[in-house]
Amino acid sequence: MVERSPRFDAFCWLLLSAGLLLVFLPLYYALVIASQPDDTARLTLATLPGSALWHNLAAAWAKDDLQRQLVNSTVMALGIALGKLSISLLSAFAVTYFRFRFRTAAFWLIFITLMLPVEVRIVPTFEVAANVLSPVTALAGWLGWRLELNVSLLDSYAGLILPLIASATATFLFRQFFLVVPDELCEAAKVDGAGPLRFFRDILLPMSRTSMAALFVILFIYGWNQYLWPLLATTRAEMTTVVIGVARTLPTDNADTRWNLTMATTLLAMLPPVLVVVLLQRWFVRGLVDQEK
Amino acid sequence: MAIRGKDVVFKGRALPWLLLAPQLLVLAVFFFWPAGRGIVEAFFLSDPFLDRSIYVGLDNFRALFASPEYWDSVWLTLRFSAATTLLSMSVALALAVAADRVLRRSLLLRSLVIWPYAVAPAIAGMLWLFLFHPAFGVLALALRDLGVGWNPLLDGGDAMLLIVAAAAWKQVSYNFVFFLAGLQAIPASLIEAAAIDGAGPARRLRDLVLPLLGPTSFFLLVMNVIYAFFETFGIVDAITGGGPGGATRLLVYKVYKDGFQAQDLGSSAAQSIVLMVIVVALTILQFRFVEKRVSYA
């Protein structure tokens, strides 16, 4: 602090408190509702926490598809995060540590996908997921062969994960990182007789650990919070993610809905990614700020 | 344009392609093929009964641009994006400036502000709907007691306010992280020098801190617009379903509705292409900015 200005400090504190109030208001209210016992009159108008939080959380936990959906979300988030990390590391290694024909072209192909978020190509991507071999049959059709191949990825983990797994951003970040790795390391590895894969595994990967951890947190959240794609790619309640599952139990006007249970379920659905962000805050913030570079 | 690689490289012609193979395969099947199909679909009228397509040129686009419903969707998306971006960035900036002043390095405070980033947009929407649901939301009933007419299920303007609130609430945490990092990167000596020259907190904020945050703000502006355009699908789908009467039918929601529920593939594909053009423009904008910054460095 550069000067003493109690009035300005007080103003800052006031601003911060108001901001925090706003940030926590929806969470507080969710906790209030989720902790009301079943027999509370006018449940949603409660303003103070009730006594039944654990009871309701346990009841929500025991609901039909919830555990299955939590598992699905975990598999999807981990699959997307780890998948993106591995294919991006490999591609970044290829475009920085090798010189080959069409290297620039390969790089730009990956770059262009930044401009194709799933939201702008939903219908055709859905068609491909419904029959992942449709590009092959169409190409064969042009060549005059008629093939009947049909492999659907809908309602499967592969279908939830694979279409979201390519990553221009992660490839960029790793490329940037590899570019500043000292050349001497690579020379030394070569002198010692290490091939490219050995160098990648024993030197480059351990050096990239912090970037990987930072990106992992961001990608895990990205995967967990996907909405449009799981909405399209799954039809069965036991294959969908917990976010979709919760959104389907949504406020309609029926008065007899058990809101306390709905809110408890919502809390369970948001807990894992929130814990990841809060507990791995250092990596999370680094992963975010890295994206600006 | 050639891109930079390492000066010391490995030999090998097949190996780099093997390393690239997983990424390129995924791209070919799930990006380029669908994008190509989308472009084709935009120029054809598909006939679901005959299993064939008729070339219709720009007809899908003409029909789209002649549709008042589409322009409604364009305008409300612009209004929504402007409101969400402005709200979340200004709140985040105010919080970051205050936090930087009184608690320069508090990790606790940062955790308290950043957690909404981890909440899925659809769930953020639900939390806000619960507060403001006209029939049972505690704040909606408080508003009613104050005599304010409020019903996001019937009134388009109210519904818009609700999705802006939910979208901005979630995005404040993202902007806060960047603004705080930007503020903490300003050397203390600069601030001290300005203070010695007699500039008070407000003056320093205006003439020193805000200009130095320029690049961060620009980056955030682009990211926020992208967020408002594309990632808010879940909020709309979960809490308003585009309603009432299309008042919250954002462009990305309309693409989905027209493509999957109305089965109007040609129009949906044409809309996708318009969205693609918007993303391309935003990406180029961002990259020009990155290049500019690099050349200053």
Side-chain angles (χ1 to χ4, degrees):
Chain A
M1 218 178 294
V2 286
E3 81 270 272
R4 295 172 60 82
S5 165
R7 215 184 290 171
F8 185 59
D9 286 352
F11 176 72
C12 285
W13 280 112
L14 200 72
L15 206 64
L16 276 178
S17 323
L20 285 180
L21 201 70
L22 212 62
V23 166
F24 275 93
L25 182 71
L27 179 69
Y28 171 75
Y29 187 60
L31 281 169
V32 167
I33 296 185
S35 61
Q36 299 302 317
D38 281 338
D39 52 4
T40 313
R42 307 222 61 193
L43 191 87
T44 60
L45 295 187
T47 46
L48 290 172
S51 55
L53 182 62
W54 294 116
H55 174 263
N56 289 337
L57 285 176
W61 177 252
K63 270 204 308 199
D64 289 345
D65 295 313
L66 186 86
Q67 293 175 37
R68 181 66 207 254
Q69 288 172 351
L70 280 168
V71 170
N72 294 344
S73 285
T74 312
V75 171
M76 184 181 179
L78 283 177
I80 289 178
L82 296 176
K84 275 185 187 247
L85 281 181
S86 13
I87 66 175
S88 308
L89 276 165
L90 293 177
S91 345
F93 180 56
V95 296
T96 40
Y97 276 96
F98 290 88
R99 235 170 256 145
F100 53 97
R101 264 156 74 87
F102 305 118
R103 185 175 71 98
T104 305
F107 182 77
W108 283 108
L109 273 184
I110 297 171
F111 171 77
I112 290 174
T113 58
L114 256 190
M115 305 181 188
L116 297 170
V118 73
E119 284 81 2
V120 308
R121 51 188 168 85
I122 11 181
V123 178
T125 310
F126 175 78
E127 288 168 0
V128 173
N131 179 9
V132 75
L133 293 176
S134 63
V136 179
T137 48
L139 288 176
W142 287 337
L143 297 171
W145 298 322
R146 280 197 72 83
L147 293 177
E148 292 290 339
L149 298 170
N150 207 327
V151 177
S152 168
L153 295 183
L154 301 180
D155 281 323
S156 74
Y157 287 138
L160 281 175
I161 294 168
L162 285 179
L164 302 176
I165 217 176
S167 180
T169 331
T171 309
F172 274 178
L173 287 176
F174 286 125
R175 175 179 164 263
Q176 302 286 64
F177 176 72
F178 291 164
L179 283 176
V180 298
V181 168
D183 283 343
E184 287 76 9
L185 281 174
C186 183
E187 274 165 0
K190 281 164 103 177
V191 170
D192 288 346
L197 293 178
R198 183 82 197 272
F199 170 73
F200 180 67
R201 199 188 62 204
D202 289 347
I203 297 176
L204 223 43
L205 277 190
M207 288 183 70
S208 321
R209 268 202 311 248
T210 45
S211 309
M212 280 159 69
L215 214 51
F216 175 84
V217 177
I218 302 287
L219 295 175
F220 182 86
I221 306 295
Y222 164 87
W224 187 280
N225 288 346
Q226 281 301 309
Y227 187 85
L228 178 58
W229 186 246
L231 185 69
L232 297 176
T234 60
T235 50
R236 305 204 320 262
E238 75 266 21
M239 270 318 290
T240 202
T241 62
V242 71
V243 172
I244 302 282
V246 166
R248 286 204 178 127
T249 60
L250 237 194
T252 39
D253 281 315
N254 340 335
D256 57 342
T257 315
R258 293 171 67 197
W259 296 123
N260 47 356
L261 212 56
T262 305
M263 267 301 148
T265 319
T266 309
L267 287 176
L268 287 177
M270 58 193 255
L271 191 65
V274 168
L275 277 184
V276 166
V277 160
V278 172
L279 295 180
L280 302 176
Q281 186 185 165
R282 198 157 66 93
W283 303 118
F284 165 71
V285 168
R286 204 189 129 150
L288 266 192
V289 177
D290 272 351
Q291 292 182 339
E292 195 190 354
K293 288 175 186 149
Chain B
M1 186 168 42
I3 57 141
R4 207 153 71 82
K6 302 292 280 187
D7 293 329
V8 181
V9 294
F10 288 102
K11 283 198 212 83
R13 238 178 269 166
L15 187 59
W17 287 109
L18 278 178
L19 294 168
L20 282 166
Q23 174 108 297
L24 292 181
L25 191 68
V26 172
L27 290 183
V29 175
F30 294 108
F31 283 74
F32 293 114
W33 179 263
R37 291 273 306 160
I39 292 170
V40 170
E41 263 162 26
F43 295 98
F44 286 83
L45 185 69
S46 59
D47 187 334
F49 298 106
L50 292 174
D51 192 25
R52 70 193 172 106
S53 304
I54 309 150
Y55 179 71
V56 293
L58 291 173
D59 282 5
N60 282 324
F61 290 94
R62 270 190 216 110
L64 187 64
F65 292 135
S67 141
E69 233 183 57
Y70 185 68
W71 287 110
D72 284 349
S73 176
V74 170
W75 287 124
L76 71 89
T77 306
L78 290 177
R79 284 210 319 269
F80 169 78
S81 309
T84 306
T85 303
L86 202 70
L87 188 63
S88 64
M89 280 181 68
S90 44
V91 170
L93 180 63
L95 287 181
V97 168
D100 184 52
R101 161 120 192 143
V102 291
L103 306 155
R104 227 178 135 92
R105 306 226 178 261
S106 163
L107 286 179
L108 175 69
L109 180 81
R110 207 170 58 179
S111 339
L112 292 179
V113 181
I114 63 177
W115 66 270
Y117 178 86
V119 177
I123 291 184
M126 280 180 71
L127 295 178
W128 281 85
L129 181 59
F130 258 95
L131 284 173
F132 285 105
H133 193 288
F136 53 75
V138 71
L139 291 186
L141 296 180
L143 280 177
R144 201 174 61 192
D145 291 345
L146 290 174
V148 182
W150 167 263
N151 192 339
L153 300 186
L154 296 177
D155 183 284
D158 291 355
M160 181 58 108
L161 279 179
L162 189 59
I163 61 171
V164 167
W169 174 76
K170 204 186 121 46
Q171 195 67 358
V172 163
S173 49
Y174 180 86
N175 296 333
F176 178 81
V177 167
F178 281 94
F179 277 133
L180 193 62
L183 287 169
Q184 292 181 345
I186 297 176
S189 56
L190 266 181
I191 307 282
E192 279 156 15
I196 291 169
D197 286 347
R203 179 77 198 273
R204 289 200 307 268
L205 186 68
R206 199 190 66 197
D207 290 343
L208 187 65
V209 174
L210 288 186
L212 285 173
L213 284 179
T216 303
S217 312
F218 185 81
F219 167 82
L220 285 178
L221 186 68
V222 175
M223 295 311 281
N224 277 273
V225 172
I226 292 178
Y227 163 81
F229 261 78
F230 299 105
E231 288 165 44
T232 47
F233 177 87
I235 297 181
V236 176
D237 191 54
I239 73 177
T240 66
T248 55
R249 201 190 290 130
L250 300 181
L251 286 170
V252 15
Y253 196 70
K254 190 168 155 56
V255 174
Y256 160 80
K257 275 278 170 200
D258 290 354
F260 280 93
Q261 260 138 27
Q263 293 280 322
D264 186 352
L265 292 185
S267 172
S268 172
Q271 293 175 40
S272 292
I273 293 196
V274 176
L275 281 180
M276 243 184 256
V277 171
I278 296 174
V279 188
V280 171
L282 287 171
T283 314
I284 291 174
L285 197 69
Q286 199 175 358
F287 262 75
R288 285 189 61 111
F289 148 76
V290 168
E291 268 169 33
K292 224 158 117 196
R293 242 183 20 154
V294 168
S295 69
Y296 280 134

